[in-house]
Amino acid sequence: MSDSKNDNQFDVVVIGAGFAGMYMLHKLRATGLKVIVLEAGSDVGGTWYWNRYPGARCDVPSMEYSYSFSSELQQDWDWSEVMAGQPEILKYAEHVADRFTLRKDIKFDTRVKSAHYEEAHQNWLIHTEDGTSYESRYCIMATGCLSVTNTPEIPGAENFDGPIYHTGQWPHEGVDFSDVSVGIIGTGSSGIQAIPVVAEQAKHLTIFQRTPNYTMPAYNKPLTSEFREKARANYDQIRADQRASLAGIVSYGFGFGGADLVEPTDTLKNTTPEERAKLVEEQGFGAFRTFLDVGLDPDANEMACEMYRQHLATIIEDPKTAEGLMPRNYPIGCKRPVIDTDYYQTFNRDNVTLVDLRQGGIQQVTSTGVATDQGHYEVDALIYATGFDAMTGALERIDIKGKNGKSIKEEWHAGPRTYLGLQIHGFPNMFTITGPGSPSVLSNMMVSIEQHVDWIADCIGHLEDNQVRAIEPEEQAVNDWILHVNEVAKGSMFTAPSCNSWYLGANIPGKPRIFMPYVGGVGEYRNRCDEIVAEGYSGFTLSK
Ligand code: N01
């Protein structure tokens, strides 16, 4: 089949050359299908290609946040730290591209504009911004969950005299902030990582914080060769345990953020205020980690929040700044957990100012700074650490049309609708790697990416072997899956009424409030995906 194709006809077009697209290409190549990857960036790496801001680092231990598909690769690669920084992870991606000669089938600097399903030919027609079109039987979206930056429209930004950067689109040549007064908007994972590093360099750093976050110290450190050797010798077991786990992480050697391992079993509600105060004094922010009810019971959670605030007050020298940094009125565990290096200590520096926007918000950006209801703050440069249009953003930015010309935007007007986060009703032969409705961002992305890529490659193999022209989920299967995704998230801190997270789309004005990822765990989820295959692709329509 492949031989009869012209230059722009393919069996599979994969969109995106991050870790998902790279592995998808490698996997499909082995099947003999004609595959091309289209990538907007100039090289591989996806999120690690774009997010080059100072302090960017992974929060999953690198021995686990790495590919498992090649035993030689995992035996050969040396990680230098428990959780590697962005430059090292990007180097790893580049190494994988070299090692498996991936680049020859990736077209870089190529942004996909549209993907339309042609019912008459059961093909996808894909147009790129450079005016090229590609025809393909299958279209695989490896577009990432956090790849479209969210740049809030703050009035006056266009009049600012200095440069404005976004953490998610950082200049490749880096930025020198010596002698520069910097303002940073946003205190999510990106802001919290960037702030201590920028503060070291800048003349002054002003942090515009709308919602204080709960963040735990990262216990990052160099990996010893002894640890690496031991992990390598145990890789088969580590990988098997990751796949069967809840979050795709087994904390081999380390607990969350590189901290000591703990197994929460106790009940915080059974403790007295004195006991809690003693725990905070002895263990700091980690004091509530041993309590199981913190994640389940809102009252226990509020006790943990209070313990958190108590410890915070002991770190910050200025009481007003301490109060300004204290998260209130939403539970620990509602947002994506953040870990940091020296975040709070940074606020004790003379060259750092916190602007707690709860006391008066941003009015506008002026030519020389940021005007708020609390006054005007002069800055020479601005950093937006304002996050992403997560999970659906990258897909909805492309003009995707399925059967009957229906657009993905129409199909998802009330929130994303998928079966297993893998396929959308009415969009045959289109697959989404780590799409909404799959564990994705609630898991170690590497584990979820590999599981989806393997599943999709097996599915395509099955279709090809059985002369099936098209696969798409039944509408009822989609409805049932969404119901299940919502059901398992119910009662968790993720969906607490006071929670406003990007998991819920709450960071983007007008985005429907829907809990997008699947909270049931990668092990359970994998089993369900495998069962569905064993049942002959139950819930899918296969047409010859
Ligand atoms: O983005 P965010 P992020 N005015 O959405 C604020 C992954 N990641 O890039 O909370 C003022 O979390 C906003 O305020 P609020 C990880 O999954 C991983 O930091 O909406 N402020 C918030 O403080 C993470 O969760 C790693 O009130 C405005 C911030 O901007 C995800 O990426 C590292 C504003 C955005 O926080 C996203 O993290 C980095 C406005 N108009 C990222 N608009 C690691 O692996 C937004 N904000 C460690």
Side-chain angles (χ1 to χ4, degrees):
M1 180 172 58
S2 305
D3 293 342
S4 62
K5 290 185 161 43
N6 72 30
D7 281 357
N8 285 353
Q9 287 178 320
F10 293 86
D11 296 310
V12 189
V13 169
V14 178
I15 304 176
F19 281 126
M22 291 167 70
Y23 179 41
M24 193 77 246
L25 170 61
H26 175 71
K27 185 87 188 177
L28 286 173
R29 255 190 199 161
T31 63
L33 293 171
K34 189 180 173 195
V35 188
I36 189 168
V37 180
L38 306 176
E39 164 59 51
S42 303
D43 205 353
V44 296
T47 203
W48 302 104
Y49 172 88
W50 298 104
N51 287 266
R52 299 173 188 231
Y53 60 86
R57 178 177 296 288
C58 193
D59 57 3
V60 176
S62 298
M63 298 295 300
E64 298 194 42
Y65 185 89
S66 49
Y67 285 127
S68 72
F69 71 82
S70 161
S71 166
E72 293 77 16
L73 169 65
Q74 65 185 13
Q75 290 301 324
D76 286 353
W77 184 263
D78 268 343
W79 291 107
S80 69
E81 296 175 275
V82 175
M83 289 159 291
Q86 174 273 333
E88 187 172 350
I89 302 174
L90 185 59
K91 226 179 252 161
Y92 173 76
E94 289 165 358
H95 168 80
V96 172
D98 290 339
R99 188 175 187 120
F100 299 101
T101 57
L102 297 180
R103 288 188 186 86
K104 72 182 169 69
D105 291 318
I106 305 176
K107 198 155 177 277
F108 293 107
D109 302 306
T110 302
R111 188 171 285 281
V112 171
K113 203 168 73 174
S114 64
H116 292 171
Y117 186 64
E118 295 195 306
E119 278 174 74
H121 306 107
Q122 290 170 305
N123 267 346
W124 283 90
L125 194 61
I126 291 146
H127 288 286
T128 58
E129 281 184 353
D130 65 7
T132 314
S133 42
Y134 300 82
E135 212 182 297
S136 175
R137 171 80 67 83
Y138 306 99
C139 176
I140 302 181
M141 298 296 181
T143 40
C145 297
L146 295 160
S147 47
V148 172
T149 50
N150 168 43
T151 304
E153 286 179 18
I154 303 176
E158 66 284 3
N159 302 324
F160 185 59
D161 282 344
I164 300 184
Y165 306 101
H166 194 295
T167 46
Q169 284 174 330
W170 202 257
H172 288 199
E173 62 282 9
V175 184
D176 182 2
F177 287 122
S178 348
D179 288 326
V180 179
S181 285
V182 184
I184 184 164
I185 300 173
T187 50
S189 301
S190 304
I192 285 176
Q193 284 188 330
I195 284 163
V197 185
V198 176
E200 288 273 341
Q201 200 188 45
K203 186 161 80 183
H204 196 91
L205 179 63
T206 305
I207 295 122
F208 298 93
Q209 169 209 265
R210 191 165 66 181
T211 310
N213 231 315
Y214 299 99
T215 167
M216 298 286 170
Y219 295 94
N220 194 34
K221 56 184 177 217
L223 279 180
T224 62
S225 37
E226 196 191 350
F227 177 86
R228 279 196 297 256
E229 288 317 310
K230 214 170 143 206
R232 280 194 185 113
N234 280 301
Y235 249 143
D236 286 350
Q237 191 59 50
I238 295 171
R239 298 309 195 184
D241 292 346
Q242 282 183 294
R243 290 181 193 123
S245 70
L246 191 68
I249 307 170
V250 290
S251 302
Y252 182 80
F254 314 99
F256 177 62
D260 296 340
L261 277 165
V262 288
E263 195 61 54
T265 46
D266 300 339
T267 307
L268 190 57
K269 271 176 91 175
N270 291 346
T271 57
T272 63
E274 294 73 26
E275 284 168 334
R276 291 197 290 278
K278 189 159 176 283
L279 279 168
V280 172
E281 200 183 314
E282 289 167 0
Q283 297 178 34
F285 286 126
F288 55 82
R289 289 194 308 153
T290 50
F291 298 98
L292 196 60
D293 52 344
V294 172
L296 305 169
D297 179 335
D299 295 335
N301 193 287
E302 180 47 32
M303 286 177 179
C305 296
E306 191 46 40
M307 291 164 79
Y308 183 94
R309 291 188 286 264
Q310 277 168 13
H311 184 60
L312 178 51
T314 67
I315 304 175
I316 310 295
E317 288 159 10
D318 171 43
K320 184 169 172 245
T321 306
E323 181 56 41
L325 286 166
M326 285 181 189
R328 294 192 185 274
N329 304 325
Y330 75 94
I332 286 179
C334 113
K335 297 190 183 204
R336 154 84 181 214
V338 181
I339 56 169
D340 70 89
T341 304
D342 295 336
Y343 179 60
Y344 286 127
Q345 288 78 355
T346 301
F347 291 86
N348 291 333
R349 294 175 65 104
D350 291 337
N351 70 333
V352 169
T353 303
L354 173 72
V355 182
D356 174 11
L357 297 172
R358 292 175 299 184
Q359 307 304 322
I362 295 177
Q363 293 168 346
Q364 60 170 320
V365 173
T366 65
S367 59
T368 58
V370 179
T372 73
D373 290 338
Q374 308 168 53
H376 185 266
Y377 296 85
E378 299 268 320
V379 296
D380 306 318
L382 261 177
I383 300 172
Y384 282 28
T386 45
F388 302 89
D389 183 353
M391 306 203 71
T392 54
L395 294 165
E396 292 187 346
R397 287 300 183 288
I398 303 172
D399 167 25
I400 302 174
K401 289 203 172 91
K403 288 198 313 205
N404 305 315
K406 189 171 192 184
S407 73
I408 194 165
K409 275 195 176 160
E410 275 174 78
E411 177 64 19
W412 285 6
H413 72 277
R417 297 173 43 76
T418 74
Y419 186 34
L420 303 167
L422 276 164
Q423 271 214 305
I424 305 164
H425 173 70
F427 295 74
N429 290 358
M430 189 179 93
F431 298 92
T432 49
I433 302 180
T434 66
S438 70
S440 61
V441 291
L442 293 181
S443 69
N444 175 352
M445 287 302 287
M446 284 296 204
V447 174
S448 288
I449 283 171
E450 287 195 330
Q451 187 247 337
H452 266 192
V453 167
D454 291 343
W455 194 96
I456 293 167
D458 288 349
C459 174
I460 290 177
H462 173 84
L463 305 184
E464 294 292 310
D465 290 348
N466 293 283
Q467 287 84 45
V468 176
R469 287 288 306 183
I471 183 169
E472 67 167 305
E474 295 158 10
E475 192 157 23
Q476 190 57 45
V478 173
N479 291 341
D480 293 347
W481 183 250
I482 294 171
L483 212 65
H484 177 60
V485 170
N486 288 328
E487 205 53 46
V488 286
K490 236 185 232 163
S492 72
M493 296 304 149
F494 292 125
T495 52
S498 58
C499 184
N500 288 309
S501 69
W502 58 257
Y503 292 142
L504 288 157
N507 64 327
I508 302 293
K511 194 162 168 169
R513 187 181 165 96
I514 299 278
F515 187 73
M516 293 184 282
Y518 178 60
V519 98
V522 300
E524 283 272 327
Y525 172 81
R526 176 184 294 268
N527 290 342
R528 186 66 203 124
C529 289
D530 291 348
E531 274 166 23
I532 283 167
V533 174
E535 291 159 9
Y537 288 92
S538 54
F540 288 96
T541 306
L542 279 64
S543 33
K544 294 243 173 185

